[in-house]
């Protein structure tokens, strides 16, 4: 994602005449028809804002953002899994394949400004499709191979210039965020590696998952002593400082990856301890007691209603990842499922806005529609409402090659692409030389800069 200061200010709430609540869903989580109906309506609302499949448009691309397309398709694949509604399968397949680049979701139209976190969301969408046996096309690369392609382009970006490892947030020196290592990029690749590892049992993925987790835990990004996750840390301090804003998806990504590792290792203590620790923090932080303790809240931006369009997506990821986790780590189900159900009921009630009376606001804990509407809030609501199907679905768990997953492996996918394209390097070496020298000076801890000044 683009660093915050670069963002267009939050998506303007759609013109909101007709305030007031109409048509709120009183979702009954004991009744699957009720869940399906609410989910279908929210999916319809979300997709009525997507035009990528219309003539003259670019499939898979949403205006002003690239990464959200991957997140949206991931949400639709999960929606199909939970409800069986195939209405959006075609548009999902079209968008995913259009944006696949050289089988690694690094398409040249957009790749010059993408961050590692942007790319990984498409990879997570692809591994989700593989795990759920989302239909494939014979003449196209498999979902699994596209997820492998993302892994194969991200691993060479593992950065040893300082902090002894880690993925940078951004890929290019001219981007703000290039000298930052952040939770979602590292947690995203960790989760992707863990899922590839469980799906294929290939040791390379499993070892990378271990490595990314262990590295993260040497920094404030993954603080195992008190089970917190910092959003960012900077290379200028050798990854000692911490940007502590708390976001649902950072917890979701590491927790979910740990759940796959737990399942893959048959319940290894390392992963059980981590899951229990991080789940407790997640519950305490994002299901705040002062809001009743049952409904998820994006606590760092909802109280002030300052969430930007990226941030409005995050709760949906935590909701779906926690829900899948209950199938991989069965002892967590008792804690998680009631909170997903309560959050789904609350989200459905929040989907009562706009002229048509079904647009979703962001504050799930609020009884009346909060006056906002966006594709992103629809996406989050769709995710948590679909997840409430978990108790009705026979075999809800993610598959792997040895339990019926049929997506074909191609461990070489994406290796034909350049992880940091040449044409961008040339820009860096030419016009941006000054900037990159500055970047080099600032990349590592101040001690090394001082050492360089003294000895240089
Ligand atoms: C685009 O996808 C929607 C479903 O989201 C579908 O209803 C519509 O017919 C599709 N449009 C075209 C031109 O294929
Ligand atoms: C790249 O941009 C061109 C021109 O706008 C467009 O036709 C094409 O569909 C785009 N491809 C992708 C993968 O976005
Ligand atoms: C791993 O997940 C499967 C479902 O895919 C579940 O049946 C099994 O109990 C899980 N393993 C452990 C150790 O919890
Ligand atoms: C495992 O993955 C690595 C890294 O992608 C690859 O080089 C190797 O061929 C894979 N092994 C198998 C058996 O697929």
């Amino acid at each position: 994602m683009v660093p915050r200061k670069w963002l267009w200010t939050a998506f303007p709430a759609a013109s909101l005449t007709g305030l007031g609540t109409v048509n709120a869903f009183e979702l009954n989580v004991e009744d699957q028809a009720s869940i399906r109906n609410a989910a279908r309506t929210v999916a319809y609302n979300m997709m009525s804002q997507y035009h990528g499949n219309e003539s003259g448009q670019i499939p898979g691309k949403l205006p002003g953002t690239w990464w959200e397309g991957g997140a949206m398709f991931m949400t639709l694949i999960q929606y199909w899994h939970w409800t069986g509604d195939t209405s959006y399968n075609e548009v999902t397949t079209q968008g995913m394949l259009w944006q696949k680049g050289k089988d690694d979701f690094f398409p040249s139209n957009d790749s010059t400004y993408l961050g590692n976190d942007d790319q990984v969301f498409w990879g997570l969408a692809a591994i989700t499709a593989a795990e759920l046996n989302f239909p494939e096309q014979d003449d196209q690369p498999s979902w699994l191979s596209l997820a492998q392609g993302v892994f194969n382009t991200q691993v060479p970006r593992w950065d040893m210039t300082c902090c002894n490892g880690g993925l940078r947030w951004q890929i290019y020196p001219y981007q703000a965020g290039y000298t930052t290592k952040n939770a979602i990029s590292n947690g995203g690749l960790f989760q992707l590696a863990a899922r590839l590892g469980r799906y294929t049992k290939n040791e390379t993925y499993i070892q990378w998952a271990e490595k990314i987790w262990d590295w993260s835990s040497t920094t404030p990004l993954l603080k195992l002593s008190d089970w917190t996750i910092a959003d960012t840390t900077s290379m200028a301090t050798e990854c000692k400082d911490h940007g502590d804003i708390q976001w649902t998806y950072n917890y979701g990504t590491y927790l979910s990856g740990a759940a796959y590792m737990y399942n893959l290792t048959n319940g290894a203590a390392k992963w059980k301890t981590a899951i229990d620790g991080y789940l407790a923090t997640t519950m305490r932080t994002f299901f705040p007691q002062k809001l009743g303790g049952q409904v998820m809240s994006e606590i760092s931006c909802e109280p002030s209603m300052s969430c930007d369009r990226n941030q409005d997506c995050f709760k949906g990821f935590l909701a779906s990842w926690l829900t899948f986790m209950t199938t991989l780590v069965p002892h967590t189900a008792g804690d998680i499922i009631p909170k997903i159900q309560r959050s789904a009921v609350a989200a459905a009630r929040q989907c009562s806005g706009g002229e048509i009376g079904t647009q979703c606001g962001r504050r799930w804990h609020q009884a009346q529609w909060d006056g906002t509407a966006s594709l992103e809030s629809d996406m989050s609501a769709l995710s948590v409402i679909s997840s409430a199907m978990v108790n009705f679905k026979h075999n809800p768990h993610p598959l792997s090659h040895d339990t019926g997953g049929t997506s074909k492996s191609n461990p070489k996918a994406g290796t034909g692409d350049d992880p940091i394209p040449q044409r961008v390097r040339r820009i860096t070496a030419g016009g941006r030389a000054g900037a990159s020298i500055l970047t080099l000076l600032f990349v590592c801890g101040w001690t090394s800069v001082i050492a360089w000044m003294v000895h240089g």
Side-chain angles (χ1 to χ4, degrees):
M1 275 136 254
V2 185
R4 248 205 114 169
K5 61 184 171 191
W6 284 20
L7 279 175
W8 313 233
T9 35
F11 213 38
S15 77
L16 303 170
T17 49
L19 272 140
T21 48
V22 215
N23 237 352
F25 301 106
E26 281 307 320
L27 182 63
N28 175 2
V29 292
E30 305 301 327
D31 172 11
Q32 48 170 317
S34 167
I35 303 172
R36 284 173 200 281
N37 178 44
R40 185 171 55 238
T41 306
V42 175
Y44 180 85
N45 267 342
M46 179 176 88
M47 291 310 280
S48 56
Q49 298 163 73
Y50 172 74
H51 302 289
N53 65 337
E54 293 164 15
S55 79
Q57 304 284 328
I58 301 177
K61 181 75 175 64
L62 292 168
T65 175
W66 181 76
W67 81 274
E68 280 186 21
M72 183 178 81
F73 295 129
M74 179 171 84
T75 307
L76 286 170
I77 292 163
Q78 293 163 342
Y79 166 71
W80 161 77
H81 169 74
W82 292 123
T83 66
D85 181 359
T86 59
S87 304
Y88 304 104
N89 286 9
E90 203 173 310
V91 80
T92 296
T93 302
Q94 181 201 36
M96 296 264 296
L97 293 176
W98 196 266
Q99 294 299 330
K100 72 182 180 351
K102 294 182 176 159
D103 296 351
D104 56 2
F105 293 114
F106 202 54
S108 56
N109 279 3
D110 296 280
S111 60
T112 52
Y113 73 90
L114 298 184
N116 284 308
D117 49 355
D118 299 306
Q119 186 190 20
V120 86
F121 267 92
W122 289 84
L124 295 174
I127 188 68
T128 302
E131 289 169 349
L132 304 180
N133 272 346
F134 187 71
E136 297 195 328
Q137 294 189 352
D138 293 340
D139 57 346
Q140 291 288 341
S142 68
W143 301 128
L144 175 61
S145 71
L146 295 178
Q148 291 170 307
V150 172
F151 175 89
N152 287 337
T153 39
Q154 295 216 329
V155 157
R157 297 185 198 134
W158 188 256
D159 172 72
M160 295 300 292
T161 54
C162 38
C163 312
N164 206 24
L167 272 190
R168 296 169 185 264
W169 179 1
Q170 303 294 330
I171 299 168
Y172 307 114
Y174 56 77
Q175 286 172 300
Y178 180 67
T179 57
T180 298
K181 294 186 175 176
N182 67 336
I184 194 62
S185 298
N186 286 285
L189 183 58
F190 162 65
Q191 189 196 119
L192 182 66
R195 294 171 73 168
L196 287 170
R198 179 172 174 275
Y199 197 95
T200 64
K201 306 293 182 294
N202 182 326
E203 278 298 324
T204 306
Y205 304 128
I206 299 170
Q207 284 162 8
W208 269 97
E210 292 272 2
K211 174 172 169 159
I212 299 164
W213 176 276
D214 291 345
W215 174 80
S216 299
S217 76
T218 66
T219 75
L221 297 180
L222 199 68
K223 205 169 148 213
L224 305 186
S225 57
D226 64 358
W227 307 116
T228 55
I229 295 180
D231 187 42
T232 57
T233 187
S234 67
M235 293 166 65
T237 67
E238 277 287 347
C239 295
K240 298 277 185 285
D241 68 342
H242 35 101
D244 284 330
I245 307 181
Q246 299 290 289
W247 298 113
T248 49
Y249 78 154
N250 287 336
Y251 285 81
T253 193
Y254 276 108
L255 247 180
S256 168
Y260 281 89
M261 292 303 284
Y262 171 93
N263 195 266
L264 164 73
T265 56
N266 236 324
K270 171 177 179 177
W271 303 110
K272 178 170 191 307
T273 310
I275 288 166
D276 293 346
Y278 275 116
L279 187 56
T281 310
T282 301
M283 295 306 192
R284 195 170 57 242
T285 310
F286 301 111
F287 296 81
Q289 279 305 333
K290 67 176 179 202
L291 303 176
Q294 299 295 319
V295 174
M296 195 190 299
S297 174
E298 197 64 73
I299 54 154
S300 298
C301 63
E302 273 180 30
S304 54
M305 288 297 267
S306 61
C307 308
D308 67 27
R309 64 185 299 189
N310 299 312
Q311 294 152 7
D312 274 327
C313 303
F314 296 169
K315 292 203 295 293
F317 308 140
L318 179 61
S320 64
W321 290 337
L322 285 177
T323 304
F324 279 109
M325 183 169 146
T326 66
T327 73
L328 297 165
V329 189
H331 77 268
T332 61
D335 275 347
I336 293 173
I337 292 177
K339 289 188 167 64
I340 293 296
Q341 291 174 324
R342 292 287 289 275
S343 298
V345 170
R349 206 170 285 148
Q350 195 50 220
C351 292
S352 57
E355 285 173 33
I356 45 174
T358 53
Q359 289 180 312
C360 304
R362 68 162 67 96
R363 276 183 175 170
W364 294 347
H365 60 273
Q366 186 170 301
Q368 304 293 312
W369 178 50
D370 67 15
T372 65
S374 65
L375 178 145
E376 291 78 5
S377 288
D378 289 348
M379 197 194 302
S380 278
L382 177 60
S383 185
V384 72
I385 295 169
S386 322
S387 294
M389 283 294 289
V390 64
N391 281 349
F392 296 104
K393 175 114 179 134
H394 186 59
N395 290 337
H397 55 269
L399 302 173
S400 60
H401 271 153
D402 49 19
T403 59
T406 55
S407 198
K408 286 206 175 56
S409 172
N410 174 9
K412 294 208 169 352
T415 53
D417 203 357
D418 191 344
I420 305 176
Q422 287 296 338
R423 72 195 147 81
V424 178
R425 281 194 213 146
R426 270 199 303 275
I427 301 172
T428 313
R432 302 285 187 140
S436 61
I437 287 166
L438 270 182
T439 304
L440 282 179
L441 267 182
F442 282 96
V443 279
C444 282
W446 289 109
T447 42
S448 44
V449 175
I450 291 162
W452 176 82
M453 290 194 302
V454 171
H455 298 289

